[in-house]
Amino acid sequence: MFQVIVRPHQKGRFQLIAGERRLRVVKNHTKMSAIQAKKKLKIWALQVLSENQDAYSYFIQKKIGAAQLEKLRSKDYAAIRILDYIKHSGRQFKDLNLNGEIVESDPFAILIHCARKGTGGATPAYFYDMIHLFKQFSGHEHPTPHKLEISSWTDRYSSGLDPEVIWQRRKNKLRILKIIIKYIDDKRIKSKRYRFKKGMSRQKKMALAKTWWKDHKFHLKFAVREPEDLNEMLGFSLDREVMDTMKQAQKVGIPLFVNPYYLSLLDTQASPISLGADLAIRQYILYSKELVNEFGNINAWEKEDIVEVGKPNAAGWLIPDDCIHRRYPNVAILIPKSMGRACGGLCSICQRMYGFQHGDLNFNLEKLKANASFDDRLKASLSYFENDSQLRDILITGGDALMSTNKALRKVLQNVYKMAKTKRRANMHRKEGEKYAQILRVRLGTRLPVYLPMRIQAGLVNILAEFKEKASKIGIQQFVFQTHFESPMEITPETKLSVELLNKAGWIVTNQLVFTSAASRRGHTAKLRKVLNDIGVIPYYSFTVKGYMENYHLFTPNARLVQEGMEEKIIGRLPGTFISSLKQFPLNAENIVDNISQLRADADIPFLASDRNVLNLPGIGKSLTFRTIGITNDGRRILEFDHDATREHSPIIKKIGKVTIIESKSIHDYLQQLDNMGEDVLEYSSIYGYSLSETESRNQIFEYPDYDYDVTNKITNIDHDLT
C-alpha cells in the first residue's frame, strides 16, 4: 500500500512521508532530486493504473467519454493527476488572473524544495490540495451522500413561495413604497406618469403606489442608481465596508441599476426563515472589491462575442454586424437595436462587463429605444439567418429580449416569421442533399421573469401566442424562453404567475444558473431545480463562473461543479424509460406544470436534473471535459479543457485544440469562503478528488427535431482560411 502524509513541521515547514514504499522526503534527510522523485511517482502511478485497464485506456486517451470515466476508481483519478502533473512539469502558462503574468507549474519540485527550505514558496492552499491528492492515491475514499442526506441539504433553503417569506416581503414592499412616495413628494424624482394630486392623503398615496407596483415601467423609473439610495431602500442595513465598495464602484464607473421589486426580495432584518437564503441574490446586486479593482482592465472572456464587421470572429464565423453573435454552426444570437440591448438590472457576474467599462452598454433606456433605422437593421440581420446553410435556431436576446416594447418585439417576431418562411420556400428549389437547415427553434433570452415579472402581461402573451400559431404552420416546432433564476428565493408568487402566462402562450421556460460561490452551497442548486419544476421551469445549464480576477469573490472551482453533478444532481437523473415522455413537453407547454409533477412522481425523483454542468470556455463553446494538469504554488488548479464531443462545433476547433485555464481561486480558499458563509466544510471534503470530468450529453428535450430531408454539408459564412 502506498501511503503519504504531509504534515506541518516546525517554523512553518512541511514533512512529506511515504509509508511502506519507503520514500521519505523529510527536512535535512533527503538527497533525492525532483527528477528521481518524479520517476518513482510515475512508476507507482502506472502500477495503480495497471490494476484497471479501463483507467489506463482513459489516461492514454485510447478510450474516452462519460461511459469510460465511470469505470475509474477514486485512486485512478489520483494516479492520472499525478501522471499529468509529471507530464506537464516545468510548463509555463499565461495567467489571465494576473494580467498575463507567466507562471510555471512543477508541483513535485515544490514538494522537494519544501523538504529542504521551508514551504518552498508555496501557500497552505497548495499543501492542502497535495495532501488530499496523496490520500486519494493511497486508497482513501469518501462515502457517497445518501438521498436522505441530500434532501436534508435542500431543506436548509427557503423559497420565495414560503408563506413566511411572502409575509416578510410584503413588509419590504411597504417600506420601499414609503421611500418612493417621499422621493415624489420631495421632487427628487419627477414623472408625469407617477405623481400625486395636490392634497392627496397619505393613505391614498399608498393605495395609488400599490397599483403602480404592478406596472413594470414604475420599477424601471424608480430603479436605484446611487449607493446611498440602495442603502436607504434596504433599510440602511448595508455595513460600512459594503457601502465603501459600492461607492468606489460608482467612482470607477460601474453602473448601479436595481429595481424596487427585486430589492424587496432581500432580507434586511436577518430573520431566521431567510437568514443566508438570499445570499445568492446579494452577490448579484452588491459588487466585490475585486470587480472594482479590475474594472477598466476587464477583457472579454468569450472571444467570439467580439465582433468586427468584415472580419471573422474567434470561432471563424463571418458576421455582418454587432447585432449577431455566433459560436456554433446551428445557432446564432440576434441582438436587435432596441431597448432589448439593456437589462432589467446589472448582474455583478455579467459576462459582458467589459462592454460596460467601455460605455458600449448602459442603462440610458430612452436612448436605447428603437429608432428610424431599426427596421432596416433588423431585416439585414435576419437575412444572415435566411442565407445560412446550417442555422436552425435563433436566440433573441440582448441585454434582455423583454426589455423591448411590445411594439418592437412584435416587429422582431414578425420579421423572424417572414425570414423563416422565405428560407423554407427557397429550399423547395434546392436539390436533395443541397437543402439548407430551416428554422426549427425560436428562443427569447430574458431575466425579467426574475427581475421584473410584472412585465409579462396580457398584451405580451397575445403577441407570443399569435407568433407561435403562425410559426408552427411553417415548420418552427420549438418556442423557448431562456431565463436565469439564481436562487429559490427569487421564485415568488409574481414569478410563478409570469411563467404560467408564458406557458399559456405555448412557450416553455428553461433556466440557466450561474454557479456562484453562494449558489454552490450544498443543496442550494438541488432546491432551485425542485422549486423551478414546481412552477413549470426546466433546468437547462449550470455554468461555472468565468475565471478572471474580477469574479474572484463569486468564483467556484470547477471541481465543486463536478462534485455537485456527481453527488447532488444525480438523484434527479431521469431513468431512460421516461425520456420519450420528457421530449413531448415542449409540444404541450400549457400543461407543463402537471406533466412535470406527474413525471417526477412516476420516476420517483425529487426534481428533473435536465441541466448540464458546463463552463463557457474562453475560446469556442461550452464544455466540462477537462483534466487537472497542474497547480500553482498558491493552490490554484490548472485545467486543460477539450471541446464538448456531444455537439457540432465550428470547424475552427480543429486548429484551436485544447484550452488551458488557470482557476482564480484555490479549493482551500473556496472552502474558507464557505466557512465564512456558515457552511460545514467537512460536507465538501470529497471536492479535492474531482480532477477529471466529461461533458454530460444534452438532455433530449433540448435536441433539435429531425428534418424530413438531408441538410447540406456545405458551411456558409465561415472563413475557410481559418478552418
Side-chain angles (χ1 to χ4, degrees):
M1 176 181 177
F2 179 64
Q3 184 178 21
V4 177
I5 303 172
V6 183
R7 63 181 179 225
H9 194 48
Q10 60 182 353
K11 296 182 181 179
R13 301 186 179 191
F14 284 73
Q15 291 182 326
L16 171 64
I17 306 173
E20 296 178 17
R21 296 288 188 176
R22 299 300 180 189
L23 171 65
R24 295 180 57 86
V25 184
V26 188
K27 178 198 172 199
N28 298 328
H29 288 280
T30 181
K31 295 182 180 179
M32 183 180 294
S33 69
I35 294 175
Q36 290 172 311
K38 289 174 193 175
K39 285 182 179 179
K40 287 184 177 290
L41 280 170
K42 184 175 182 179
I43 291 170
W44 294 334
L46 287 172
Q47 285 176 347
V48 168
L49 292 186
S50 70
E51 300 168 4
N52 181 1
Q53 190 58 42
D54 288 317
Y56 183 74
S57 296
Y58 187 87
F59 166 65
I60 63 174
Q61 297 187 310
K62 182 179 179 181
K63 295 181 180 179
I64 57 175
Q68 187 70 12
L69 184 62
E70 290 177 359
K71 300 175 182 178
L72 270 62
R73 304 164 300 173
S74 178
K75 63 164 57 176
D76 295 328
Y77 275 67
I80 290 173
R81 179 147 56 117
I82 287 171
L83 291 168
D84 280 341
Y85 278 2
I86 293 170
K87 177 181 177 181
H88 296 278
S89 289
R91 186 174 167 187
Q92 294 184 330
F93 302 91
K94 185 181 291 187
D95 191 344
L96 299 179
N97 298 284
L98 303 176
N99 297 317
E101 181 179 321
I102 301 299
V103 299
E104 184 175 308
S105 174
D106 203 340
F108 301 119
I110 292 177
L111 279 183
I112 298 299
H113 194 63
C114 151
R116 296 171 177 167
K117 298 182 179 179
T119 62
T123 68
Y126 160 84
F127 288 108
Y128 279 111
D129 204 306
M130 296 300 285
I131 288 169
H132 284 277
L133 170 61
F134 283 113
K135 285 178 68 176
Q136 185 181 20
F137 187 48
S138 65
H140 182 272
E141 293 189 39
H142 295 274
T144 302
H146 189 271
K147 186 174 181 179
L148 290 176
E149 186 176 15
I150 299 169
S151 296
S152 72
W153 292 337
T154 64
D155 290 342
R156 295 171 181 171
Y157 300 99
S158 304
S159 96
L161 296 177
D162 293 341
E164 298 91 341
V165 176
I166 294 172
W167 178 79
Q168 182 187 84
R169 287 170 171 177
R170 284 175 182 159
K171 295 197 301 181
N172 293 344
K173 172 183 170 180
L174 291 176
R175 183 190 67 246
I176 291 171
L177 284 176
K178 286 177 182 178
I179 294 170
I180 292 175
I181 289 170
K182 187 174 181 296
Y183 285 176
I184 296 173
D185 285 344
D186 294 345
K187 295 183 170 52
R188 280 186 57 181
I189 299 179
K190 297 179 182 179
S191 170
K192 293 180 180 179
R193 187 182 185 115
Y194 308 108
R195 58 193 179 90
F196 303 120
K197 293 180 180 179
K198 190 174 181 180
M200 185 177 283
S201 68
R202 183 180 303 175
Q203 291 80 5
K204 288 186 176 180
K205 287 179 181 179
M206 178 59 73
L208 181 57
K210 285 181 179 179
T211 65
W212 291 340
W213 188 269
K214 300 175 184 178
D215 179 1
H216 76 279
K217 293 180 181 178
F218 168 79
H219 292 276
L220 294 175
K221 178 65 179 178
F222 291 96
V224 166
R225 296 174 182 262
E226 302 288 335
E228 292 82 1
D229 295 341
L230 174 68
N231 198 18
E232 184 179 7
M233 290 277 193
L234 293 176
F236 298 102
S237 61
L238 301 180
D239 62 37
R240 181 180 295 179
E241 184 178 359
V242 170
M243 283 301 296
D244 286 345
T245 302
M246 296 303 290
K247 289 176 182 177
Q248 188 60 35
Q250 185 181 40
K251 286 182 181 179
V252 300
I254 304 177
L256 177 63
F257 192 85
V258 193
N259 73 69
Y261 165 79
Y262 200 65
L263 283 174
S264 74
L265 305 187
L266 294 184
D267 175 20
T268 61
Q269 298 178 347
S271 58
I273 189 65
S274 58
L275 183 62
D278 68 352
L279 187 54
I281 303 177
R282 287 179 176 272
Q283 284 193 340
Y284 261 52
I285 292 175
L286 304 175
Y287 304 141
S288 68
K289 293 179 181 178
E290 291 82 10
L291 174 59
V292 174
N293 292 337
E294 294 293 316
F295 195 77
N297 297 306
I298 295 173
N299 296 308
W301 175 263
E302 291 152 10
K303 303 295 190 299
E304 63 272 23
D305 281 350
I306 299 176
V307 176
E308 294 184 63
V309 178
K311 295 182 180 180
N313 68 3
W317 299 109
L318 297 169
I319 308 293
D321 55 44
D322 63 356
C323 294
I324 294 176
H325 293 201
R326 187 175 184 182
R327 301 176 195 167
Y328 299 108
N330 296 334
V331 57
I333 291 173
L334 172 67
I335 306 177
K337 291 282 188 180
S338 69
M339 256 179 67
R341 296 181 83 85
C343 292
L346 177 57
C347 304
S348 64
I349 202 70
C350 183
Q351 69 180 33
R352 297 196 175 103
M353 191 64 77
Y354 71 94
F356 283 99
Q357 74 182 359
H358 297 303
D360 301 329
L361 301 175
N362 55 66
F363 290 94
N364 296 324
L365 303 184
E366 288 298 318
K367 292 183 179 180
L368 290 172
K369 287 183 178 178
N371 56 31
S373 65
F374 175 69
D375 289 4
D376 292 338
R377 293 291 298 270
L378 180 59
K379 290 176 182 177
S381 296
L382 287 173
S383 69
Y384 181 82
F385 288 83
E386 178 186 330
N387 297 307
D388 189 274
S389 62
Q390 301 299 323
L391 285 176
R392 63 204 69 188
D393 183 355
I394 180 169
L395 171 55
I396 303 162
T397 182
D400 191 301
L402 291 190
M403 284 293 288
S404 292
T405 63
N406 282 355
K407 180 180 178 181
L409 186 60
R410 183 192 293 274
K411 186 170 289 187
V412 170
L413 292 175
Q414 284 175 339
N415 279 274
V416 168
Y417 170 79
K418 291 176 183 177
M419 174 272 293
K421 190 174 182 180
T422 303
K423 190 172 190 180
R424 188 184 189 200
R425 284 178 178 170
N427 254 359
M428 297 177 183
H429 305 291
R430 296 189 178 107
K431 299 178 181 177
E432 287 298 323
E434 297 179 3
K435 295 183 182 294
Y436 282 14
Q438 295 168 187
I439 301 299
L440 295 172
R441 179 186 296 163
V442 175
R443 289 186 278 170
L444 293 173
T446 179
R447 186 160 152 79
L448 291 199
V450 186
Y451 263 144
L452 208 55
M454 47 284 294
R455 168 67 178 97
I456 292 88
Q457 299 287 350
L460 172 64
V461 172
N462 290 338
I463 291 170
L464 297 171
E466 175 189 275
F467 172 76
K468 186 194 174 182
E469 183 180 1
K470 290 196 311 181
S472 297
K473 295 175 182 177
I474 60 167
I476 299 177
Q477 300 180 44
Q478 297 178 344
F479 304 84
V480 183
F481 269 93
Q482 199 162 287
T483 190
H484 170 37
F485 287 92
E486 184 70 10
S487 166
M489 291 290 277
E490 292 176 324
I491 301 172
T492 67
E494 292 89 346
T495 61
K496 181 181 178 182
L497 176 60
S498 71
V499 172
E500 181 182 329
L501 290 172
L502 296 176
N503 290 156
K504 282 185 176 179
W507 293 62
I508 65 168
V509 182
T510 66
N511 191 64
Q512 296 188 154
L513 163 73
V514 179
F515 204 59
T516 61
S517 51
S520 73
R521 290 171 292 171
R522 280 289 201 188
H524 186 278
T525 301
K527 179 61 175 279
L528 175 62
R529 293 187 188 102
K530 182 182 183 302
V531 186
L532 285 173
N533 287 170
D534 290 343
I535 67 169
V537 178
I538 300 174
Y540 182 38
Y541 278 120
S542 293
F543 287 102
T544 309
V545 176
K546 67 176 186 174
Y548 288 165
M549 186 52 66
E550 66 265 19
N551 286 326
Y552 175 85
H553 180 69
L554 301 170
F555 179 75
T556 299
N558 286 275
R560 171 63 187 130
L561 189 64
V562 180
Q563 182 189 46
E564 197 281 332
M566 297 292 287
E567 297 185 7
E568 293 157 69
K569 184 168 76 172
I570 192 168
I571 67 170
R573 293 229 170 104
L574 194 65
T577 53
F578 295 95
I579 296 297
S580 58
S581 299
L582 184 60
K583 285 184 67 176
Q584 301 304 311
F585 282 13
L587 305 179
N588 188 14
E590 296 85 345
N591 297 306
I592 198 164
V593 172
D594 291 339
N595 288 339
I596 290 176
S597 179
Q598 187 63 53
L599 184 62
R600 286 189 293 173
D602 292 343
D604 191 24
I605 54 175
F607 54 80
L608 287 176
S610 50
D611 52 318
R612 293 206 294 169
N613 291 7
V614 294
L615 168 69
N616 264 330
L617 295 179
I620 310 300
K622 307 172 183 70
S623 177
L624 202 65
T625 300
F626 72 83
R627 280 161 64 160
T628 305
I629 64 170
I631 187 170
T632 64
N633 63 356
D634 59 353
R636 293 179 295 123
R637 290 185 172 188
I638 303 172
L639 310 181
E640 186 176 71
F641 279 81
D642 210 342
H643 293 89
D644 175 10
T646 69
R647 69 176 301 170
E648 292 184 51
H649 287 274
S650 162
I652 202 172
I653 67 165
K654 297 174 185 176
K655 289 190 175 182
I656 290 178
K658 296 180 180 179
V659 178
T660 302
I661 294 171
I662 301 179
E663 295 190 315
S664 59
K665 184 186 294 175
S666 70
I667 291 177
H668 175 65
D669 290 343
Y670 164 69
L671 292 177
Q672 283 191 317
Q673 186 179 9
L674 291 182
D675 183 64
N676 292 335
M677 294 180 194
E679 292 291 287
D680 179 358
V681 296
L682 292 178
E683 293 177 347
Y684 299 80
S685 53
S686 63
I687 185 176
Y688 283 99
Y690 290 104
S691 54
L692 300 168
S693 178
E694 292 283 342
T695 311
E696 302 163 87
S697 296
R698 186 159 53 177
N699 193 294
Q700 291 189 32
I701 193 175
F702 302 120
E703 294 291 349
Y704 297 115
D706 293 327
Y707 293 107
D708 58 3
Y709 61 88
D710 293 327
V711 176
T712 178
N713 293 324
K714 174 185 174 184
I715 299 178
T716 55
N717 293 313
I718 192 80
D719 187 330
H720 293 285
D721 291 335
L722 290 178
T723 59

